[in-house]
Amino acid sequence: MTINTDLDFYNLVREAVHKKWDPIGVCSYSEEMGEYDGYLPNLCKLLKEGGSEEQVFNFLWTAETDSMGLSGDEQATREFSRWLISLDK
């Protein structure tokens, strides 16, 4: 995989995290992305290394509920995890 492809994948995941997952709801207030950037390197690594849907869900769920302190939306996070897994197939 080339650097450009990795960068394209990173940017796709970044936009999806901002617009599709967005547990805090910042997308409805701003098109500026960056709120979730701290999670992206580990999330992209997990995806590129073939992490399972459950592993991706656990990563996002921990970010949403532990790191961000939210009550979470399990169904939405599971659906987003499933969608993310389909990206690299």
Side-chain angles (χ1 to χ4, degrees):
M1 184 167 279
T2 66
I3 290 174
N4 286 341
T5 303
D6 285 342
L7 183 58
D8 290 343
F9 182 75
Y10 177 90
N11 286 331
L12 176 64
V13 172
R14 184 176 192 237
E15 184 174 346
V17 163
H18 178 73
K19 292 183 177 176
K20 290 182 178 282
W21 181 47
D22 190 26
I24 297 173
V26 296
C27 183
S28 58
Y29 298 105
S30 174
E31 284 298 309
E32 284 289 320
M33 291 188 284
E35 183 68 32
Y36 308 113
D37 283 0
Y39 302 102
L40 292 175
N42 289 331
L43 178 58
C44 286
K45 181 179 180 194
L46 179 60
L47 292 166
K48 295 310 281 179
E49 290 178 350
S52 69
E53 183 180 322
E54 191 65 21
Q55 288 173 311
V56 172
F57 169 78
N58 287 334
F59 177 86
L60 294 171
W61 188 251
T62 298
E64 191 172 337
T65 59
D66 291 348
S67 299
M68 295 178 207
L70 303 171
S71 58
D73 181 340
E74 185 174 348
Q75 181 179 347
T77 302
R78 284 198 181 279
E79 288 173 10
F80 183 62
S81 300
R82 193 171 305 116
W83 183 85
L84 282 174
I85 290 295
S86 74
L87 288 179
D88 204 37
K89 302 283 184 233

